[in-house]
Amino acid sequence: MENYLNENFGDVKAKNSSDEALQRWRKLCWLVKNRKRRFRFTANLSKRFEAEAIRRSNQEKLRVAVLVSKAALQFIHCLNLSSDYVVPKEVEEAGFQICADELGSIVEGHDVKKLKIHGEVEGIAEKLSTSINDGISTSEDLVNGRKEIYGINKFTESPPRGFLVFVWEALQDMTLMILGVCALVSLIVGIAMEGWPKGSHDGLGIVASILLVVFVTATSDYKQSLQFKDLDREKKKITVQVTRNAVRQKISIYDLLPGDIVHLFIGDQVPADGLFVSGFSVLINESSLTGESEPVNVNAANPFLLSGTKVQDGSCKMLVTTVGMRTQWGKLMATLSEGGDDETPLQVKLNGVATIIGKIGLFFAVVTFAVLVQGLCNRKLREGTHWIWSGDDAREMLEFFAVAVTIVVVAVPEGLPLAVTLSLAFAMKKMMNDKALVRNLAACETMGSSTTICSDKTGTLTTNHMTVVKACVSGETREVGSSESTTSFGSAIPDLAKSVLLESIFNNTGGEVVVNEERKVQILGTPTETALLEFGLLLGGDSRQKQEKSKIVKVEPFNSTKKRMGVVIELPNGGFRAHCKGASEIVLAACDKVIDSNGVVVPLDEASINHLNDTIERFASESLRTLCLAYLEIGNEYSDESPIPSKGYTCIAIVGIKDPVRPGVKESVAICRSAGIVVRMVTGDNLTTAKAIARECGILTDDGIAIEGPAFREKSEEELQELIPKIQVMARSSPLDKHALVRHLRTTFQEVVAVTGDGTNDAPALHEADIGLAMGIAGTEVFNEISSREMEKINVFKGILKNYVFVSVLACTAFFQIIIVEFLGTFANTSPLSWQQWFVSVFFGFLGMPIAAALKMIPVVSN
């Protein structure tokens, strides 16, 4: 059986299965009693094809729009732009000057001409009654007015199905229909021969059993549909940062309205159609919408941002113009949601098991019916009444047929694949309670078979609550864990060093210091940025003052390959200054000067370099994450088209950031090891820091190897064959290093690999892995789920076995009743059992064996 399943149902993968494979297994499952129930949680391939057609259409539309825009730009300055657009009366009365359809045509069509006519981004903002700096007003009347005119940011969903729909679906079972016909015939014949109510007992018994099966099935399916609805709702809880009433805040993507100012960062999904307001180095991946893999540059010249696309690089502010079903993404999502998720490999194989059991059940049902009919014919031959057939004989034949159909009903486990799906959904629900959101049902199944975990450090093994605890400025190294020690340290360092340090912290950042609705200071951004900004505030800095004094000319956001970020600012007295921060050894290597203890910029000599490197090593050995901050005076000649310089910097400071190991990680790693799962740490941090954290977590052992990404890259294929099984820590790794490690583990060593990461620079590895875990701030509780994989399997299959063993027991009880009746009847007639009766008795007694054997195969199939 296992070979048959692997050959015919084994080519469906946990992710990215081909359409041919998905279609092939469906054709093999020809023996299906109730298609609606059997294939309820499988992908709707026709809807998939529709979605792909929409993508191709979008790709062609955008290609044409870009060509038209280029042509329009060549003539636009020579034309006297005028518009025949008329504002609809209801829009004007609501206080706006542009309607939703016009906004949609501008962004979706990349219509540069219309954008110019409406006054570009500033003009659109004005017509939407919003401010680029302060956002929309949150007064209830204005918000309701926007919703009425422009709609809400929600996609059309299929209405929830009521209980009666599930009752109707349960009635679609072919065997139940046949039993229904048997019940009708039995009632007619019984009442005609024996009258009411005596003649109706058999028929009404069949009807009662049908109703019982239907209502139990429908109730179970209805409850599970409600659970799936809850799961789907949880999966869609996504928040974005917006500015409203001049206050930066987080809101649900479903609360977005046209006129909102949204702040986007690397890895974010664009939540609605909109226009680029300001930002730096923005690259947008439009593959989810158009299928085009090449990222698109978005800037003032090409300001169009489409819902559903992803920010691949850079950061920006966006003005929301179109929401919900008016966007192309909304239309695509409506189709995709009907298409459903891919079925899991276990689901497919269990469909194969159900099909095999169905064939066996059908065969024995036919044989049983034939044997019973032959027994009746033999008896009539012995009695000499074979030419005389009465209503009793017809009724007996009908009972034989009902027995045969009952065998098919019991023997074909139509709900087996469904039960697995629901068990996996239960596992999803259980993991959600541990703050682990599973977006794909197949992930629960694959997790149970993981043999290797490649884990990121920050936020996965550590808490992701960062604080600057040590700093080295102008040769002075101190602990700065508290406000008193930081204030004392700030007064001890030279004025020049302090001034430039604060300028670097508040300008060269992806975070922001804001005042929230409660008028309290709040720091927004990544944990690293938050820690640095908090350090700057404790030093006595004023973020708004520092940012207003200088104008940002160019920004290069943090890059996983370069391991640093940079910014160029225009100084109030003229001239430009570049600031750089990032991995300590990389930024320090770009420095040739340092600010000494007197506040004087001096060349970096060997003694100073050794002192700074020793400081980095000391911080790293204490499990601190180290960052180096540096600056460079550029002079008066700089263009924003020029790249930010990469050398000649002056070192300002080295800071050590504490990110404590998450409680329970060491125990979880130990459980993983005992379960036979290898845990590897793959991080972008310093090698010394990575080794210190790995030892604290129990990942790095005496016989394990810690290696840096650049060294790993230089190894030949033969060297990697020997090296990879021993690697336990990879530091200073780029996204491609992680991808290469995962690829080798999967292909060369046939491991089932789980990768944890933040979902941005880990994207290639997450995509390559058998299971990708994109972690949030409370993510690593998943380790407990993965490490106890055997228990998870037992729990998943326990629910299935309960259902089917119970059904098998009921079936066997019914069969033994028939055996006893046959036996007593034979005994009463004082005649020996015929071979037909012995055959029926033995068959009924052992019918459960193929079902049990098939169920025993489930754990084998799952692997």
Side-chain angles (χ1 to χ4, degrees), residues 50-63:
E50 274 184 48
E52 193 53 43
I54 291 173
R55 279 202 183 96
R56 285 196 297 271
S57 171
N58 289 340
Q59 189 174 3
E60 185 60 25
K61 280 181 188 173
L62 289 177
R63 190 182 69 80

Side-chain angles (χ1 to χ4, degrees), residues 67-269:
L67 291 173
V68 170
S69 296
K70 285 178 179 176
L73 282 170
Q74 294 177 11
F75 300 102
I76 208 159
H77 296 295
C78 307
L79 297 173
N80 179 22
L81 294 177
S82 60
S83 171
D84 54 359
Y85 172 70
V86 178
V87 183
K89 188 179 178 183
E90 64 273 13
V91 173
E92 199 165 7
E93 286 174 353
F96 308 110
Q97 297 299 315
I98 190 167
C99 69
D101 291 337
E102 183 74 358
L103 286 167
S105 68
I106 292 171
V107 178
E108 191 181 312
H110 286 48
D111 198 324
V112 178
K113 182 182 174 184
K114 276 188 181 178
L115 183 61
K116 290 271 185 186
I117 289 169
H118 287 290
E120 301 198 13
V121 177
E122 292 79 7
I124 296 287
E126 190 178 330
K127 291 182 177 185
L128 280 170
S129 298
T130 186
S131 163
I132 285 173
N133 296 318
D134 298 339
I136 64 173
S137 168
T138 53
S139 70
E140 192 175 342
D141 291 343
L142 290 173
V143 168
N144 290 336
R146 281 182 196 277
K147 287 180 180 178
E148 194 176 327
I149 298 297
Y150 299 109
I152 56 174
N153 198 32
K154 288 187 178 178
F155 308 131
T156 302
E157 295 181 359
S158 53
R161 297 190 295 175
F163 178 71
L164 291 177
V165 175
F166 289 97
V167 171
W168 175 250
E169 281 192 4
L171 283 167
Q172 305 301 305
D173 193 312
M174 185 58 67
T175 51
L176 293 182
M177 291 179 188
I178 294 169
L179 283 177
V181 173
C182 290
L184 180 63
V185 173
S186 179
L187 279 170
I188 293 169
V189 173
I191 293 170
M193 293 189 64
E194 299 182 29
W196 177 269
K198 188 178 178 182
S200 64
H201 291 169
D202 289 346
L204 289 177
I206 298 173
V207 171
S209 63
I210 292 171
L211 291 176
L212 181 64
V213 169
V214 166
F215 280 101
V216 168
T217 303
T219 303
S220 171
D221 291 354
Y222 178 64
K223 284 182 179 177
Q224 268 111 30
S225 76
L226 295 179
Q227 288 178 0
F228 266 92
K229 203 81 178 169
D230 291 341
L231 279 171
D232 200 44
R233 198 177 296 116
E234 288 293 329
K235 287 197 289 184
K236 291 175 180 176
K237 281 185 180 176
I238 302 170
T239 58
V240 289
Q241 289 188 24
V242 301
T243 298
R244 285 183 172 182
N245 277 349
V247 175
R248 186 96 161 255
Q249 55 193 274
K250 285 185 177 180
I251 65 169
S252 166
I253 59 168
Y254 297 124
D255 294 330
L256 282 178
L257 294 168
D260 266 321
I261 302 298
V262 178
H263 302 262
L264 297 173
F265 304 95
I266 294 178
D268 286 349
Q269 180 171 304

